[in-house]
Amino acid sequence: MVRVNLKGVNRVKKTLASGEIVYYNYHRATNTKLPDDQNSEEFIEAHYTAQNKIKSIGRNRGTLKSIIYEYQSSPSFQGLRERTRKDYLRQIAKIEEKFGKMPIALLNDARIRGNFLKWRDGLAKTSPKQADYAITVLGIILSWALDRGFISFNYAAKPRKTYKSKRASKIWTYNNVAAFLSVASSELQLALILARDTGQRQGDLLKLRWSSFDGVRINLTQSKTGTEVSIKTTDELRTLLKEKKAKGINATTILTRPDGQPWKTDHFRHAWRKATLKAGVDGLTFNDLRGTAVTALADAGCTTIEIAAITGHSLKSAEGILEHYIARTRAQGDAAIYKLDNTRRINSANRVANRDKKQRGEKE
């Protein structure tokens, strides 16, 4: 194969936590990340797209689209997780279609907020959640532009949400888990137990390496928040992990495909979705296992601080976040009544004791 030498490519060396040395390619002018193989068709196509982006910025100078292009080339966007970047790009396409040609000067007019909200409300007729996401991304872009002096005010900032999550009541019951485990592959079974017993996000668990498990605890840094958590494994999870490790499978990550290779996110989601349909638990997602873990810990009588130590939420925001996650289960209601009855029994016993003590004092 003839080696292709394209101009304006910056090759960056990086040492991973494992000690492995990797190289990343970036388009120098736009700071766009390019595929690893410089001879691949994907690399050439990505380089061509990045080159065109420079031309596009020039053609759309003075409009919101030029700000969007600048933002996409910035470390703020390039530093996002791959999945987040893809999600943002879907929303950016909607923003460009509606407001891309808008002159930057209009972004400083307070009346533009009404236009933004009207656009959001129109999107909400199809999907309130996606509508909120779209205007949130717009707000993020304009906040970036505000910090750099492109605009003087962000009129897309902090709009009231149209979508209210109802996932707090979506938990995996004992029967749901049993149904899934009865039909899922061993690889997906381990994924469920790992998520249920650690309360971690899908992305972090798919990347979790064997080096993070010391035989008793799992230590990881959450990619979304940078929070470090150290979780003692449950008896069931610890047994499963040791059994898999004893098989001597040459894998870097704990969760793998049947062939022992790390999961690709889309492939995992497809396999997981297929298993949930087969198990008859459609409507429950992998991320609902995070809420399930929180609920189980609350049912077990754990305090907010104890739960936050497992899930990785900050202590300052733990109360509010747990309010979102914890489903009002029968166990929590029963525990509350038990505490009420117990308090009344203690108070009644104290009143009787005080009365008897008083009577004895009068007799004496």
Side-chain angles (χ1 to χ4, degrees):
M1 179 181 293
V2 179
R3 182 174 180 80
V4 178
N5 292 312
L6 298 175
K7 297 180 179 180
V9 177
N10 187 25
R11 191 165 174 82
V12 178
K13 177 181 177 181
K14 184 175 182 180
T15 303
L16 302 179
S18 62
E20 179 186 0
I21 296 177
V22 296
Y23 291 88
Y24 297 111
N25 298 311
Y26 292 88
H27 184 258
R28 186 175 291 111
T30 63
N31 200 37
T32 302
K33 190 175 184 302
L34 303 173
D36 297 335
D37 185 0
Q38 292 191 12
N39 294 312
S40 67
E41 293 182 4
E42 290 79 8
F43 179 89
I44 297 173
E45 181 180 351
H47 184 274
Y48 176 79
T49 300
Q51 287 290 98
N52 281 340
K53 185 180 291 185
I54 299 176
K55 299 177 183 178
S56 295
I57 293 175
R59 287 196 302 267
N60 294 282
R61 194 168 302 281
T63 67
L64 175 57
K65 186 174 285 189
S66 67
I67 290 178
I68 292 173
Y69 285 146
E70 293 278 5
Y71 169 73
Q72 288 179 251
S73 302
S74 71
S76 297
F77 179 77
Q78 296 296 325
L80 298 172
R81 292 182 300 166
E82 181 180 0
R83 177 186 170 185
T84 304
R85 287 200 305 273
K86 289 181 178 179
D87 290 341
Y88 274 31
L89 288 174
R90 281 194 285 269
Q91 306 307 326
I92 286 173
K94 301 174 187 176
I95 296 168
E96 287 186 346
E97 181 182 1
K98 182 65 177 179
F99 301 112
K101 296 181 180 180
M102 177 178 289
I104 292 177
L106 289 182
L107 296 173
N108 294 316
D109 188 327
R111 291 171 293 182
I112 196 62
R113 185 172 179 85
N115 293 70
F116 290 156
L117 293 177
K118 184 177 180 181
W119 166 69
R120 188 277 311 271
D121 293 344
L123 296 176
K125 294 178 181 179
T126 302
S127 174
K129 186 175 183 181
Q130 287 300 308
D132 287 338
Y133 197 4
I135 199 169
T136 295
V137 172
L138 174 59
I140 290 171
I141 294 172
L142 294 186
S143 177
W144 177 88
L146 177 63
D147 287 343
R148 284 151 185 82
F150 295 135
I151 58 177
S152 58
F153 200 84
N154 179 5
Y155 285 109
K158 299 181 180 179
R160 182 173 294 180
K161 300 293 184 181
T162 62
Y163 172 80
K164 293 184 178 180
S165 175
K166 298 180 180 179
R167 299 225 67 83
S169 62
K170 296 288 186 179
I171 62 172
W172 287 72
T173 66
Y174 174 84
N175 289 336
N176 294 147
V177 171
F180 185 91
L181 295 178
S182 68
V183 301
S185 65
S186 59
E187 291 78 18
L188 292 180
Q189 290 176 17
L190 177 58
L192 183 143
I193 301 301
L194 184 61
R196 185 199 65 182
D197 289 4
T198 66
Q200 302 305 304
R201 298 178 182 86
Q202 181 186 111
D204 290 329
L205 294 180
L206 291 181
K207 294 184 295 185
L208 190 65
R209 291 174 171 267
W210 280 110
S211 56
S212 299
F213 175 57
D214 63 9
V216 177
R217 312 183 71 85
I218 289 176
N219 302 286
L220 65 87
T221 300
Q222 296 179 335
S223 59
K224 185 175 182 179
T225 62
T227 302
E228 295 182 358
V229 292
S230 181
I231 308 164
K232 183 177 180 181
T233 51
T234 61
D235 293 340
E236 182 180 4
L237 177 57
R238 187 161 56 253
T239 298
L240 288 175
L241 291 175
K242 288 184 176 180
E243 287 178 351
K244 183 170 183 178
K245 197 169 186 179
K247 292 179 180 179
I249 299 175
N250 186 23
T252 56
T253 57
I254 291 176
L255 297 180
T256 64
R257 303 179 317 207
D259 62 2
Q261 295 300 310
W263 286 100
K264 291 185 177 180
T265 303
D266 291 341
H267 186 192
F268 178 82
R269 290 178 182 172
H270 176 74
W272 184 269
R273 172 66 173 162
K274 187 176 180 180
T276 56
L277 291 175
K278 187 176 181 181
V281 293
D282 187 26
L284 290 172
T285 68
F286 185 94
N287 287 331
D288 288 329
L289 288 167
R290 183 163 163 81
T292 299
V294 173
T295 302
L297 290 167
D299 283 349
C302 298
T303 65
T304 300
I305 294 178
E306 290 170 338
I307 294 173
I310 300 298
T311 62
H313 295 122
S314 67
L315 294 179
K316 183 178 180 180
S317 61
E319 287 288 353
I321 296 175
L322 293 176
E323 175 68 20
H324 169 75
Y325 274 120
I326 295 178
R328 272 50 177 177
T329 64
R330 180 179 297 179
Q332 292 174 33
D334 291 350
I337 296 300
Y338 172 81
K339 290 178 181 178
L340 178 61
D341 283 339
N342 191 51
T343 299
R344 287 174 175 171
R345 284 192 294 269
I346 292 173
N347 290 339
S348 179
N350 288 337
R351 284 194 294 269
V352 171
N354 290 333
R355 184 188 62 197
D356 292 344
K357 183 177 180 180
K358 184 177 180 180
Q359 290 177 346
R360 287 195 301 271
E362 290 177 351
K363 289 180 180 180
E364 292 175 355

